[in-house]
Amino acid sequence: MSMSSTLTPRQVNETWLAAAVKRQQLGIGPGLARLVSIAVWQGTMAKEVVSKVFAIHLPIWLFVACGFDHVIANMLFIPLALMLHSPLGVGYYIWKSMIPSFIGNVLGAVIMVIPLLYVHGADDPVANDVESNTGTVQDEVNTVVTFIGVLPQLGSQVVVADAEGAKAVFLNKRQFGKPIEDYGVLKFFGPNVVVTEGEEWRRHRRLTGPSFSERNNEMVWNDSCRIVDEWFARLDARVDSHGNSLDVDTVQTTLRLALMIISAAGFGQRHSWPESDDSLDPPPPGRKLGFITALKGSLDGTICKLMLPNWAYKLPFKYPRQVALCFSELEGFLKDMVHERKVAKSRGVDQNDLFSALLDGVSDEEGAGVLTMEELLGNMYIFLLAGHETTAHTLAFAFTLLALYPEHQTTLFEEANEVYGGRASTYDDYGQLVYTLATVQEALRMYTPVLFIPKVALEDTTIPAHTATPGEEPVATEVFIPKGSRVAILSPALHYNRVPFAGGTRACLGQKFALVESVAIISQVCLNYTIHIPPAQVEEYRTRPGESQRVRRERIFKPTSGITLTPKSLPLIFRRRPAA
């Protein structure tokens, strides 16, 4: 009854011509079709249910608030009105709604959309797809595209898919800054090196940078090797009669690996590999959750924390309440760690982990030159978040790529066998594992963790760009960028110019941490195991007729973009190499 009341006399008695003309808002006004298009685009870009709901809510709300009607919406409203004994008839509905709507949509497309696509299509990187995907090649492609957008804010926006243009943006601090207002939600526990800019950022950088030292990298290597050995014991405990150990979800395994390593090498929280995949670490006295459980729940719930207001966690829904509990418990753990480490340091006990170095930047007086307790907690959380998901997903991509292209496993085995020479590995071996490091970097290049690196133009400027015509050398040009423009560097489009850790002065502090961890794990895995596709997936993963290797990989991985690029759950078989 309430929905049928939304049909106003104006809408019911609308003339046939008016109904048809309204459809033309597809091309000429900010009307209903624009809102529908925004809802569809945002809903498509979102990759999980909560994000999709929030993405489509605002344009749908505006659609209803503006009083627009739509042929699909009317397929609900008109039958409902008929059920409530409205004088409307089916023929009247078809004559006054479906037919004019169809004609209006056609007219809008012919009059406005097709000419616009013809004029601007050559400047659209999506329209200019490669021949392997569409069978056609556009005349010209621009490596820097400017347009007026609505997200993250209404105004001039720029997408940079040019290596020289990206370099100019990264290195010119005076002309390009970080849009920190977009990162405000990451202040869960306090300001940190990610969400600050200018002099405040320089202070955070100066005080947090020394945490990532060579002493800490050595600890990363040792903890990585210890934890991966515990994982090996778990694999060996479930070997079948053919010598195969099936890991049903490699993504979850690599997430656990990265989580345990950042906890140990970063914050001195060392835990053993669990007996089963779903077992939880026991909570210490006075706590409701164990540290790993609280940390994993907080990291997994980051998207929820970003999107829901504080009052939503008091509602009687299990998942938001569980996320709130994890964040509360993690905050308690972090504060306890600070207190315990300060007490230990006062007694002359020091550790080489990231946390100890970070704690050196804090004083009891909390003066202007040091980190406050709130800022310390904020940076601790950011390091845990950044040091977990990126490395884990890169390892999951790398393991599966090695299973798809097993010839590279042989090279990795030979390198590790030669470098280690039958002895236990040490951090000194890192520099000699050249092919292993190249494998990690290639996985990062092919599946860059962060697809877009956001910037904002601080003044009117220009950046280098290129216009490319198939079969010809790219032509250098420049693109004007007005002050206030949102600039997005499209990482995957830079091809051989890798930027998985961003670039310039804002490059990731923990990139060496991540590389050392990944090299240690991959070298140990390939030294001890071969990686295979499970029999149940062999046919599914096989290259199909006419399918390129790139399309094959995308079909297998089905990557989605969350906080970082994430592959779908992937099963793999690990088989012990014969003893030498």
Side-chain angles (χ1 to χ4, degrees), residues 241-544:
S241 58
H242 301 287
N244 297 329
S245 181
L246 175 65
D247 191 319
V248 295
D249 191 343
T250 306
V251 176
Q252 288 303 313
T253 297
T254 55
L255 283 169
R256 184 178 290 276
L257 279 169
L259 190 66
M260 294 179 68
I261 291 168
I262 184 63
S263 298
F267 298 92
Q269 298 289 316
R270 290 175 171 80
H271 300 266
S272 299
W273 195 271
E275 293 296 323
S276 63
D277 293 336
D278 56 355
S279 61
L280 303 176
D281 56 319
R287 290 285 169 205
K288 297 178 181 179
L289 301 174
F291 176 76
I292 294 294
T293 303
L295 178 56
K296 185 177 186 303
S298 299
L299 298 177
D300 291 345
T302 298
I303 295 293
C304 179
K305 192 72 171 176
L306 291 174
M307 301 189 69
L308 295 183
N310 291 332
W311 55 262
Y313 299 99
K314 299 177 182 178
L315 299 176
F317 299 112
K318 182 178 180 181
Y319 184 67
R321 284 178 173 267
Q322 183 65 22
V323 170
L325 175 62
C326 290
F327 271 91
S328 175
E329 288 290 286
L330 179 61
E331 182 176 10
F333 275 114
L334 296 180
K335 288 181 177 178
D336 288 347
M337 289 164 56
V338 172
H339 174 72
E340 293 168 3
R341 194 62 66 89
K342 282 186 174 182
V343 170
K345 192 170 184 179
S346 67
R347 296 173 179 172
V349 179
D350 200 5
Q351 300 185 44
N352 295 331
D353 58 19
L354 183 152
F355 182 38
S356 286
L358 190 60
L359 201 60
D360 290 338
V362 181
S363 75
D364 293 332
E365 293 76 19
E366 297 185 353
V370 297
L371 297 175
T372 66
M373 181 59 67
E374 185 183 34
E375 291 170 337
L376 174 63
L377 295 179
N379 280 292
M380 290 170 70
Y381 177 76
I382 285 297
F383 290 164
L384 287 167
L385 176 65
H388 165 242
E389 195 172 90
T390 301
T391 303
H393 291 159
T394 299
L395 287 170
F397 280 119
F399 286 154
T400 308
L401 287 169
L402 290 171
L404 294 173
Y405 306 98
E407 62 274 15
H408 295 284
Q409 295 185 49
T410 302
T411 307
L412 288 166
F413 166 74
E414 291 173 350
E415 179 180 75
N417 193 45
E418 179 181 352
V419 170
Y420 296 150
R423 58 171 173 78
S425 68
T426 68
Y427 178 54
D428 292 336
D429 299 322
Y430 171 74
Q432 301 179 61
L433 296 166
V434 179
Y435 194 82
T436 309
L437 177 59
T439 299
V440 175
Q441 292 175 325
E442 179 66 0
L444 286 166
R445 184 191 69 82
M446 294 175 67
Y447 296 98
T448 303
V450 179
L451 300 184
F452 290 96
I453 301 173
K455 297 288 183 179
V456 62
L458 303 178
E459 59 183 47
D460 291 349
T461 186
T462 60
I463 63 171
H466 291 82
T467 299
T469 302
E472 299 181 9
E473 286 294 317
V475 178
T477 183
E478 287 188 339
V479 172
F480 173 73
I481 300 178
K483 179 181 179 179
S485 297
R486 290 301 185 95
V487 180
I489 297 172
L490 185 58
S491 304
L494 301 184
H495 301 297
Y496 298 106
N497 300 273
R498 297 183 313 106
V499 287
F501 302 104
T505 57
R506 298 297 302 236
C508 176
L509 282 167
Q511 55 182 297
K512 184 70 176 289
F513 188 114
L515 292 174
V516 169
E517 173 185 355
S518 301
V519 168
I521 292 173
I522 290 179
S523 65
Q524 291 295 325
V525 168
C526 291
L527 179 66
N528 293 280
Y529 291 86
T530 55
I531 311 172
H532 307 270
I533 301 298
Q537 278 74 38
V538 168
E539 191 59 36
E540 177 189 352
Y541 290 1
R542 198 183 305 278
T543 304
R544 296 172 180 174

Side-chain angles (χ1 to χ4, degrees), residues 116-162:
L116 285 172
L117 289 176
Y118 178 80
V119 173
H120 297 290
D123 295 330
D124 186 350
V126 177
N128 291 313
D129 207 350
V130 295
E131 185 173 10
S132 61
N133 287 338
T134 65
T136 61
V137 177
Q138 298 292 331
D139 293 335
E140 191 175 88
V141 176
N142 294 323
T143 58
V144 176
V145 178
T146 61
F147 60 98
I148 301 298
V150 296
L151 292 174
Q153 68 178 31
L154 180 64
S156 173
Q157 302 196 27
V158 184
V159 176
V160 179
D162 187 284

